[in-house]
Amino acid sequence: MSTGKRPDRRRFIKGGLGTAAALVLGGCEPLSDRPWVLNVLGAAETLNYRIQRLLLPRDRLAPEFSESELSAYFKPNGTSDPEDEEYQTLAKNNFAEWRLMVDGLVERPARLSLKELREMPARSQITRHDCVEGWSCIGKWKGVPLRALLERAGISPRVRYIVLHCADSMEPGAKYYESIDLIDAMHPQTILAYEMNDQPLPIPHGAPVRLRVERQLGYKMAKYVMRIEAVESFSHIGAGKGGYWEDRGYDWYAGI
Ligand SMILES: Nc1nc2c(c(=O)[nH]1)N[C@H]1C(S)=C(S)[C@@H](COP(=O)(O)O)O[C@H]1N2
Ligand SMILES: [Mo]
């Protein structure tokens, strides 16, 4: 089924599927309970991050799947149609005026159109999306490797994290955002996807572009990305924990 390079975890997930078969949501599979995904204690999280970073090769690939394994239905989650006026205006014109800002600690800040992104080298991959809420779906994604964008912008040696700023407000004054380290940012499967299942990325799934960072849980995969900021630290953003959900108790490192 998969190229399973993670025997323990995969067996664990499969183990949960027997009883869960009845819950299958049109191709999306519920996962078993995973208490380790929501440990609010920083110590356990840091340990998970360190162990994964120490023991697993930096370029370890997430399993990829075949077309026949695509989920018939891919569940949208979180925001599915941003109400923010700026976003609504951009969406009305099919994102022709949308620009991706690439800035922060970079030599060549950029504002790129969707057309410019589409002209850059692209990568396609069929992967499984695991949400912390306990479901997973398999989808096909095409987009620009984040690495190519960062190389184009020229990041400073001081950069440690890449922050993704999104268009959607989760509550007044709090837009969704996420951050990843440079190992994940430079990973070959980390892409800014503008296509899903061979179609332009639909609004419920993050149009015009969303992050795919395949070795982590769904909440890391920022949708409606407006800006990519290269930073030394994210302590000055939001509540300082590196993401909208992290600021509310989720782990910053959601490795699977
Ligand atoms: N901007 C933004 N990105 C987001 C979210 C969101 O609400 N807003 N939800 C996250 C969560 S919890 C998941 S599981 C995935 C859902 O992606 P999907 O809608 O394509 O299934 O997007 C993630 N990225
Ligand atoms: Mo999620």
Side-chain angles (χ1 to χ4, degrees), residues 21-47:
L23 297 169
V24 168
L25 310 159
C28 296
E29 298 171 328
L31 301 180
S32 54
D33 276 353
R34 289 176 294 168
W36 41 266
V37 285
L38 236 182
N39 66 71
V40 203
L41 294 173
E45 183 207 350
T46 306
L47 197 62

Side-chain angles (χ1 to χ4, degrees), residues 53 144-150 155 159-164 180-191 211-213 215-216 228:
R53 283 288 181 250
V144 197
L146 184 54
R147 178 179 197 131
L149 280 172
L150 297 177
I155 58 172
V159 171
R160 291 191 60 201
Y161 306 102
I162 302 302
V163 180
L164 300 117
I180 55 177
D181 69 7
L182 284 188
I183 296 178
D184 270 331
M186 298 299 189
H187 186 274
Q189 287 171 321
T190 300
I191 62 175
L211 180 70
R212 296 299 309 171
V213 48
R215 299 181 303 177
Q216 296 204 52
I228 291 174

Side-chain angles (χ1 to χ4, degrees), residues 74-80 82 129-133 135 137 141 165-168 170 175-178 196 201 203-206 210 212 217-225 244-245 250:
F74 198 113
K75 178 181 154 64
N77 205 35
T79 305
S80 58
H129 177 109
D130 294 336
C131 174
V132 69
E133 292 167 3
W135 53 270
C137 290
W141 308 98
H165 297 276
C166 307
D168 55 319
M170 303 295 285
K175 297 223 180 217
Y176 202 94
Y177 77 100
E178 259 303 339
M196 175 187 190
L201 185 68
I203 287 178
H205 297 287
R210 66 102 48 87
R212 296 299 309 171
L217 289 171
Y219 64 85
K220 299 298 291 186
M221 314 224 195
K223 306 196 281 188
Y224 318 110
V225 177
Y244 175 81
W245 285 116
Y250 280 37

Side-chain angles (χ1 to χ4, degrees), residues 73-93:
Y73 170 73
F74 198 113
K75 178 181 154 64
N77 205 35
T79 305
S80 58
D81 190 6
E83 287 167 9
D84 305 70
E85 209 182 305
E86 187 191 8
Y87 183 86
Q88 290 283 328
T89 307
L90 292 169
K92 246 175 232 141
N93 213 351

Side-chain angles (χ1 to χ4, degrees), residues 33-127:
D33 276 353
R34 289 176 294 168
W36 41 266
V37 285
L38 236 182
N39 66 71
V40 203
L41 294 173
E45 183 207 350
T46 306
L47 197 62
N48 178 30
Y49 175 66
R50 291 226 180 120
I51 287 174
Q52 295 215 17
R53 283 288 181 250
L54 269 173
L55 299 182
L56 299 170
R58 292 185 155 218
D59 282 341
R60 174 184 63 103
L61 294 179
E64 294 194 13
F65 299 81
S66 63
E67 303 259 349
S68 64
E69 291 170 292
L70 285 172
S71 298
Y73 170 73
F74 198 113
K75 178 181 154 64
N77 205 35
T79 305
S80 58
D81 190 6
E83 287 167 9
D84 305 70
E85 209 182 305
E86 187 191 8
Y87 183 86
Q88 290 283 328
T89 307
L90 292 169
K92 246 175 232 141
N93 213 351
N94 220 1
F95 304 103
E97 278 90 44
W98 174 90
R99 295 291 180 274
L100 175 71
M101 285 205 7
V102 184
D103 64 359
L105 300 171
V106 300
E107 285 163 33
R108 296 173 291 278
R111 288 181 80 240
L112 301 168
S113 67
L114 207 44
K115 185 169 171 285
E116 287 170 299
L117 289 186
R118 287 177 170 277
E119 284 163 1
M120 289 183 68
R123 178 186 165 101
S124 295
Q125 59 206 30
I126 300 178
T127 52

